Amino acid sequence: MTSRMARWAALALLVTAAACWADTITLFNGKDLTGWKGDGFAVADGALSSKSGAIYTDKAFGNLTLAAEFKLAAGASGGVVVRGARAQLVDPASFAFIEPNMALGALRGIAPAKATTLKPAGQWNKLDIDVAEGRARIAINGEIACEAALPAAPAQGPLGLVVTAGGIDFRGLTAVELGADAKMPPSAVDLNKAQPGDNTPPAGFVALFNGKDLDNWKGLVADPPKRAAMTAEQLATAQAAATQRAKEHWKVIDGVIVFDGKGDSLCTGKDYGDFEMYVDWKILPRGDSGIYLRGSPQVQIWDPAQWPVGSGALYNNQKNPKDPLLCADNPIGQWNTFRIKMIGEKVSVWLNGKLVTDNVTMENYWERGKPIYPTGQIELQNHGNTLWFKNIYIREITDPTKEK
């Protein structure tokens, strides 16, 4: 298969995946206990909080992918119930000598957990649970803790949150239902890694990211007007320092660019005028980012559970459209693909194969009285949260009259 054919085959697969994963169910609205029954839980600061209690969804679920964030108090013990089995959430410091099948990330009383890493006290942790083929897989902060067969149980059942001691907070609870015959989906761990064929550009495109290092990328120095006012020597000094800072927080891990949520944006080493590009991206719950074009914000990326309009529009526009035509985001934790085309001041964006921004004028955020700059760097935006990027390809357009 040629690289071009491979690219379009991969894109077709992503579009199919988008259709399969389109119905993300928000389990908690951040305001009240709508959709839940039980006692011992209250809503505090947009989270479900309990020191001792149990609540269950009104709706029954079978095979599914569940995502949530949780925060443990000292001495916490509890978990998340799926198909009658409980994924254990306990404070390891308080239960250091607990049985392995009762430890953090275990299927309670069924299967032991491998050691996983919690974030420092007071920070939110990520929980992913996949259920299919009679099995459950539990991941904590992207590390698989347990995968095991579920005991004989009804094909469907409510989801539950249980707290028996200490206190646990939950937020960002979403689920994607899978069919009765669904295969186990790729794990969050596998999705964080490049797959065969990744970072290989289709015909006519060049790879901005080689899958190995951050050559040809640099750190962010101020904004375009401020950079333009610098002398060549001032800019070179500032650029060297910015690139050093950026590469402390932007790393290549398993063939993917990973941002730790600290520092500044990552920028292409070259400026671009008219172009077409692809970029794959992935975020966590409440994630927020974007792609700056010609050094200006931005093609928006964010969590549709928080911003239901979805990603892919020119968020910073004031006079021209700023919202997407539709929400085409894949569920949080899954990869998304942007195709972005910019000619002159006009931008079109396809998200997961669907047109979400159609030939819209991109306004100059930095100098509102001027049109967008004719050239500039492309930036992966820092917005204080963990991000993943791969498959970043670009084709420079030298003759716009030949473009369809």
Side-chain angles (χ1 to χ4, degrees):
M1 182 181 289
T2 66
S3 59
R4 184 180 181 87
M5 292 171 64
R7 172 64 198 176
W8 289 110
L11 183 58
L13 179 62
L14 281 163
V15 173
T16 302
C20 295
W21 288 88
D23 298 325
T24 303
I25 299 170
T26 299
L27 299 172
F28 170 52
N29 62 17
K31 300 176 182 178
D32 54 42
L33 289 167
T34 299
W36 297 83
K37 54 192 174 186
D39 54 39
F41 274 77
V43 177
D45 297 324
L48 286 168
S49 181
S50 176
K51 295 184 183 299
S52 178
I55 55 174
Y56 295 87
T57 57
D58 294 334
K59 177 179 171 59
F61 291 85
N63 292 336
L64 84 163
T65 287
L66 181 147
E69 290 181 284
F70 68 93
K71 187 163 54 175
L72 302 175
S77 176
V80 177
V81 177
V82 291
R83 297 272 293 276
R86 190 164 106 188
Q88 280 287 88
L89 298 178
V90 299
D91 172 20
S94 300
F95 296 93
F97 302 104
I98 199 170
E99 291 294 322
N101 64 2
M102 303 288 284
L104 175 70
L107 272 176
R108 178 183 171 86
I110 299 170
K114 300 176 183 177
T116 53
T117 303
L118 282 181
K119 294 185 178 179
Q123 295 188 20
W124 289 95
N125 297 275
K126 182 77 168 64
L127 173 68
D128 294 285
I129 304 176
D130 300 307
V131 177
E133 299 182 279
R135 302 177 66 79
R137 180 174 58 218
I138 302 165
I140 307 288
N141 292 326
E143 300 173 345
I144 295 177
C146 177
E147 181 172 347
L150 290 166
Q156 291 191 331
L159 304 176
L161 305 179
V162 177
V163 179
T164 58
I168 306 178
D169 295 339
F170 297 91
R171 72 180 188 186
L173 290 126
T174 62
V176 176
E177 294 186 279
L178 309 177
D181 298 324
K183 300 296 184 182
M184 183 66 81
S187 72
V189 175
D190 291 336
L191 287 172
N192 287 347
K193 300 178 181 179
Q195 303 300 308
D198 278 351
N199 303 312
T200 302
F205 288 75
V206 296
L208 291 177
F209 168 54
N210 61 18
K212 300 176 182 179
D213 53 46
L214 293 177
D215 286 358
N216 303 316
W217 291 85
K218 63 186 180 183
L220 176 65
V221 176
D223 56 47
K226 291 178 180 176
R227 289 197 299 271
M230 293 181 179
T231 66
E233 183 178 358
Q234 288 172 333
L235 181 58
T237 300
Q239 187 62 74
T243 299
Q244 181 176 350
R245 289 195 306 271
K247 292 186 177 181
E248 293 173 358
H249 302 289
W250 295 85
K251 306 287 187 181
V252 178
I253 303 174
D254 294 323
V256 174
I257 296 176
V258 183
F259 176 57
D260 67 6
K262 303 173 184 177
D264 298 318
S265 300
L266 188 68
C267 315
T268 56
K270 178 180 175 181
D271 288 353
Y272 294 91
D274 295 342
F275 61 86
E276 180 180 11
M277 72 175 293
Y278 288 93
V279 55
D280 290 359
W281 54 269
K282 187 162 74 75
I283 58 175
L284 292 176
R286 300 173 181 256
D288 188 351
S289 182
I291 309 296
Y292 278 40
L293 310 180
R294 300 185 193 159
S296 301
Q298 86 208 35
V299 178
Q300 183 65 42
I301 294 172
W302 51 21
D303 178 358
Q306 303 295 316
W307 297 277
V309 295
S311 302
L314 304 181
Y315 172 72
N316 294 97
N317 273 359
Q318 292 182 346
K319 298 179 180 179
N320 293 281
K322 59 175 292 184
D323 291 330
L325 299 173
L326 54 91
C327 180
D329 297 62
N330 286 335
I332 295 301
Q334 301 293 316
W335 284 100
N336 296 269
T337 296
F338 273 154
R339 174 191 171 203
I340 302 170
K341 197 169 190 178
M342 185 173 194
I343 297 178
E345 60 182 6
K346 298 292 187 178
V347 175
S348 294
V349 181
W350 293 259
L351 174 55
N352 299 321
K354 298 179 180 179
L355 182 65
V356 293
T357 294
D358 187 8
N359 203 39
V360 173
T361 296
M362 184 176 193
E363 298 169 19
N364 189 328
Y365 173 82
W366 306 112
E367 299 178 273
R368 288 288 182 183
K370 297 181 180 180
I372 194 68
Y373 306 115
T375 63
Q377 62 199 23
I378 294 169
E379 302 174 19
L380 310 181
Q381 185 200 24
N382 151 58
H383 216 299
N385 37 245
T386 304
L387 307 169
W388 292 263
F389 295 93
K390 65 177 183 177
N391 294 334
I392 310 174
Y393 311 132
I394 197 163
R395 174 179 68 89
E396 295 187 75
I397 296 172
T398 56
D399 186 354
T401 63
K402 295 182 179 179
E403 297 295 313
K404 295 180 179 181

